[in-house]
């Protein structure tokens, strides 16, 4: 079973994404900040990270940059899920090594 880590400080978004993924047969964990996400990544091998951009303490951009520099996480695909929808936001995410970018609000089939 594929394991996905959802990192978003919005509890409602996390629960909705988790429910959608689990209905599709994926296992998922939720993290509301990068510190918690870092701890989860130490103990579990994830196949994908879904990451918000606008979070407290550290942005999703900065966290993605950190992930792509660590040998244990550099090859995990990152999909940004964000309300930031400007072309510069999407471009920045892709330049940091994101696999894809989904804009909030999103529709079930897109996720």
């Amino acid at each position: 079973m594929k394991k996905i880590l959802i990192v978003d400080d919005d509890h409602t978004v996390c629960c909705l994404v988790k429910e959608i993924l689990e209905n599709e047969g994926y296992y998922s964990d939720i993290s509301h900040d990068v510190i918690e996400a870092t701890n989860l990544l130490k103990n579990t091998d994830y196949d994908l990270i879904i990451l918000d951009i606008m979070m407290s303490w550290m942005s999703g951009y900065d966290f993605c940059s950190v992930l792509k520099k660590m040998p244990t996480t550099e090859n995990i695909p990152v999909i940004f899920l964000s309300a930031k929808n400007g072309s510069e936001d999407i471009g920045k995410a892709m330049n940091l090594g994101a696999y894809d970018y989904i804009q909030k609000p999103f529709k079930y089939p897109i996720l």
Side-chain angles (χ1 to χ4, degrees), residues 6-19 30-33 36 52 104:
I6 305 159
V7 185
D8 194 317
D9 57 354
D10 185 322
H11 180 74
T12 303
V13 170
C14 285
C15 290
L16 177 60
V17 172
K18 182 177 179 67
E19 181 179 334
I30 291 174
S31 172
H32 297 293
D33 61 59
E36 182 181 21
D52 186 23
K104 292 177 187 174

Side-chain angles (χ1 to χ4, degrees), residues 47-111:
D47 299 293
L48 175 69
I49 299 170
I50 297 177
L51 180 59
D52 186 23
I53 292 174
M54 297 180 291
M55 296 186 294
S56 60
W57 193 75
M58 178 184 275
S59 75
Y61 291 135
D62 293 336
F63 190 51
C64 182
S65 182
V66 169
L67 292 171
K68 294 303 178 183
K69 291 177 184 169
M70 294 172 45
T72 56
T73 57
E74 68 184 348
N75 293 318
I76 302 173
V78 174
I79 295 177
F80 279 97
L81 179 63
S82 180
K84 295 179 72 87
N85 59 11
S87 58
E88 65 280 351
D89 300 308
I90 297 167
K92 183 173 182 176
M94 301 312 274
N95 286 334
L96 288 170
Y99 179 78
D100 206 348
Y101 194 103
I102 300 172
Q103 297 175 6
K104 292 177 187 174
F106 60 89
K107 297 194 184 291
Y108 182 102
I110 292 173
L111 188 62

Side-chain angles (χ1 to χ4, degrees), residues 1-4 18 21-22 25-29 44 46:
M1 179 177 288
K2 299 288 185 182
K3 293 178 266 184
I4 301 171
K18 182 177 179 67
L21 294 173
E22 290 184 352
Y26 298 100
Y27 171 84
S28 61
D29 283 327
T44 305
Y46 291 98

